[in-house]
Amino acid sequence: MKKKTQLDRLTGLPFLNSVYPRIQEELCIRKEIGYIFFDLVDFNELQEKYGIEVCNKLIRNLGKTMAQQRGKLYREDDLVAVGSQSPTRFILFLFSPPRRKLRFATNDLKLITSRILQKMQNIIREKGTRLGISDQIYFHSGFAVVIPDSSLEVDKVIYEAHKEATLRAHLEKVMVNLISNISHELRTPLTCIKGYAETLLEGAMSDEELCRKFLKIINDEAHRLERLINDLLDLSMIDARQVQMRCKESDLVKVLNEIVSVIHPYARKSNITIKAELPGEIPLINADEDRLRQVLINLIDNAIKYSHSGGVVTVRMTTDRKEVAISVIDEGFGIPETEKDRIFERFYRVDQGISEKSGGRGLGLAIAKYIVEAHGGSISVESCLGKGSTFMITMPLDELWNKDEEY
């Protein structure tokens, strides 16, 4: 007996679990089906703030909007449903590729998703304002192609399609943000180099003092650009798991003493005092010294940049029988509690103004995290806004690592 289609009382659209038989029929006769979803974000919070009746009116209008696109943005035979658990997820099944094509093209699905999303956002803005909703309302959306799989029940096939659509949407968002961030980071030093070079060509070279000043700025910005490109190459190699860990027995006390000695003049120039609290010796650890230097220099350099003039940066090492802990402690600006979980993300910077001034690129901590974890260790942060931050690296003493291991 064929299962009866159940309609949602708010939207008038069928529930997903009641249209499985129809989808199963289509999967039996077609090579693929288009899948598009739209999730209304934070609906429960909206209900608590504006009331169930107001939010239900909003959902009802969204359901009407989806239904009205039949014969416009999708065919009459295609299927629109709402989530089986909640009518805040709208799902569109395309049973035939658009534009009489033989297969579903990514660009076509993306275009349909974009157009429907625009319609829904227009409704949200228009109806939301009339209903007194002042909050910005967002959708999660995504698309995928459903391939028939006789070994899976139809609900599992749709579940896998939803996972793929969600992942695709996330990766696309990450890629857009990445391109935007890279473009911004490259544009800043290039604009500076171009501006000062043009000024020199227009006659400033005749002033020796001014010429030297401008050339120094151009040189500094070129080095900044080079560091950015090197960081991007590092991340690319790490993602491709093509970075080799050239491990050897290393004395971390010696390494840290050398780093503090090298960075001390830079700290003094910034009116920052560096204190090293290191044990006399610890067991040798199998590690890639160059990579660990890169991590430690980045942490100490950040501590100096984000410290107040006259402040103290403490580099402390402690150890027990199982692990060694290296802490870099500053008395600077600190990190807001809401942002601590994000500081190891690529291109994320807590204070844009300070980062721009100091040449920060928001990549150092992401690279540091990869390197430390590649050594079997971990990196964490504790911070109090306005009082400073402590970055801590812990690494195992008894872990054996293969030389030249790729990660």
Side-chain angles (χ1 to χ4, degrees), residues 261-392:
S261 176
V262 168
I263 212 165
H264 182 72
Y266 166 67
R268 187 169 51 199
K269 185 178 179 181
S270 302
N271 195 26
I272 302 295
T273 301
I274 295 187
K275 290 172 55 180
E277 299 178 0
L278 309 178
E281 61 179 18
I282 65 168
L284 297 178
I285 185 171
N286 208 27
D288 185 325
E289 281 192 18
D290 289 338
R291 290 290 175 182
L292 287 184
R293 284 177 190 274
Q294 180 181 354
V295 171
L296 294 167
I297 288 173
N298 178 266
L299 293 180
I300 298 172
D301 183 49
N302 282 347
I304 293 170
K305 288 176 182 175
Y306 287 88
S307 288
H308 302 287
S309 178
V312 177
V313 171
T314 303
V315 181
R316 179 180 299 151
M317 180 186 290
T318 57
T319 182
D320 56 27
R321 294 180 179 180
K322 292 184 178 181
E323 65 181 19
V324 58
I326 303 171
S327 300
V328 178
I329 308 160
D330 68 64
E331 302 169 349
F333 301 98
I335 303 168
E337 185 69 29
T338 55
E339 301 190 33
K340 285 199 296 186
D341 291 338
R342 298 195 59 194
I343 59 171
F344 294 103
E345 294 178 13
R346 301 174 188 192
F347 290 106
Y348 188 78
R349 294 177 293 193
V350 174
D351 189 304
Q352 294 290 335
I354 297 172
S355 298
E356 289 290 348
K357 184 178 178 180
S358 61
R361 303 171 300 282
L363 293 173
L365 289 178
I367 294 171
K369 185 173 186 289
Y370 278 112
I371 293 172
V372 172
E373 290 179 351
H375 281 81
S378 63
I379 183 170
S380 60
V381 61
E382 293 181 1
S383 185
C384 183
L385 192 61
K387 295 184 178 180
S389 304
T390 298
F391 283 84
M392 178 181 287

Side-chain angles (χ1 to χ4, degrees), residues 145-157:
V145 177
V146 182
I147 307 296
D149 188 340
S150 58
S151 66
L152 295 176
E153 297 292 332
V154 64
D155 59 330
K156 298 295 183 184
V157 173

